Amino acid sequence: MSNGPEAPVPSEELAERKMRFLFTLRSRGVTDARVLTAMERVDRGLFVRGIFADRAYEDMPLPIACGQTISQPSVVGLMTQALQVNPRDTVLEVGTGSGYQAAILAHLCRRVYTVDRYRRLVREAADLFRQMDIANITTITADGSFGLPDQAPFDRIIVTAAAEDPPGPLLEQLKPGGIMVVPVGQSDTLQSLIKVTRTEKGFDYEELRPVRFVPLVEGLGSE
Ligand code: SAH
């Protein structure tokens, strides 16, 4: 896709935008040093194409292919922070979208499995990971509401599409002590970001903040 007729952004202007990007993340509550470093290393500009490329360093969700969205950077930061990822963790992401969230997680843990219901999004994200020399992400086209039984259990699970309830198979695929972050609620209303911790006895639920995500949809997409 072309970036349109606009003149390329000069490099000082780009550096300035990236600085402001990190400043905004901090001011919106992303304070974990490891998360900030990972977000500094992953250039969001690579994940946004076409007419919106120019807005990649603004703190807003933007349209991507297949009618989906790349999440707002501060929400990506807050979700990553809530996930409390350790360097040896295996993480499942449901909702690859652009691949931005997965690329950030890849800097923080041992392996990321990322699943999307659109073949096209999975292919384009995989191409980007290769270009960026990120080798610890496994991309899979599937309905992620069922998780990945063959790769389970996971230390951490992040769902980046809204479910009416945390999907049962995902809860089952969480290790004891594991954490899942998932937006919950109807797709056309405000949803709540929920942090689920698996304990010895069951699950603890904590409501973090209101969010707005595209819905978790059954089955595979058409593209
Ligand atoms: N994490 C992404 C943003 C995801 S947008 C990023 O960093 O860019 C939500 C994504 O969830 C969409 O790409 C959508 O196709 C996907 N999705 C929705 N329902 C799904 C399901 N049941 N299984 C897998 N992916 C799903």
Side-chain angles (χ1 to χ4, degrees):
M1 230 189 284
S2 120
N3 281 338
E6 305 89 20
V9 181
S11 64
E12 317 88 78
E13 165 64 17
L14 210 55
E16 165 78 26
R17 283 188 197 182
K18 289 182 183 177
M19 284 236 314
R20 263 190 274 128
F21 178 79
L22 289 167
F23 179 82
T24 304
L25 289 177
R26 276 192 212 96
S27 71
R28 302 209 163 149
V30 186
T31 50
D32 183 295
R34 287 184 70 230
V35 173
L36 282 168
T37 304
M39 292 187 78
E40 192 172 357
R41 289 170 71 184
V42 177
D43 185 352
R44 190 168 185 253
L46 297 172
F47 296 85
V48 182
R49 290 165 210 192
I51 52 169
F52 296 103
D54 206 39
R55 316 188 77 165
Y57 306 108
E58 292 177 30
D59 192 27
M60 53 168 64
L62 293 170
I64 57 171
C66 305
Q68 304 303 312
T69 51
I70 177 171
S71 313
Q72 185 176 348
S74 57
V75 173
V76 170
L78 292 169
M79 286 175 84
T80 309
Q81 194 164 277
L83 210 57
Q84 295 173 272
V85 182
N86 295 305
R88 300 171 63 91
D89 285 351
T90 299
V91 180
L92 168 64
E93 181 196 28
V94 176
T96 310
S98 68
Y100 180 61
Q101 171 75 74
I104 292 165
L105 289 168
H107 286 292
L108 297 168
C109 70
R110 193 170 57 81
R111 174 141 305 266
V112 179
Y113 291 92
T114 185
V115 180
D116 205 287
R117 56 189 292 277
Y118 284 104
R119 234 168 260 108
R120 173 175 170 191
L121 294 176
V122 170
R123 191 185 347 107
E124 291 181 356
D127 286 346
L128 272 177
F129 302 148
R130 249 188 309 275
Q131 259 180 54
M132 298 169 81
D133 278 328
I134 301 179
N136 61 337
I137 303 180
T138 305
T139 53
I140 297 169
T141 306
D143 180 343
S145 356
F146 300 102
L148 292 175
D150 292 346
Q151 283 79 17
F154 300 98
D155 300 288
R156 300 289 185 262
I157 299 178
I158 181 169
V159 185
T160 62
E164 290 193 16
D165 293 299
L170 298 184
L171 291 171
E172 278 165 30
Q173 291 174 28
L174 200 56
K175 280 188 196 170
I179 297 173
M180 170 157 76
V181 174
V182 52
V184 168
Q186 304 287 338
S187 60
D188 49 356
T189 58
L190 217 52
Q191 306 137 3
S192 275
L193 188 63
I194 307 283
K195 176 178 172 180
V196 185
T197 307
R198 184 164 200 168
T199 63
E200 293 299 321
K201 293 192 220 109
F203 297 93
D204 280 347
Y205 294 84
E206 186 188 342
E207 201 172 324
L208 299 179
R209 67 195 313 271
V211 283
R212 186 154 205 162
F213 277 83
V214 298
L216 196 68
V217 177
E218 270 178 34
L220 291 189
S222 50
E223 288 183 72

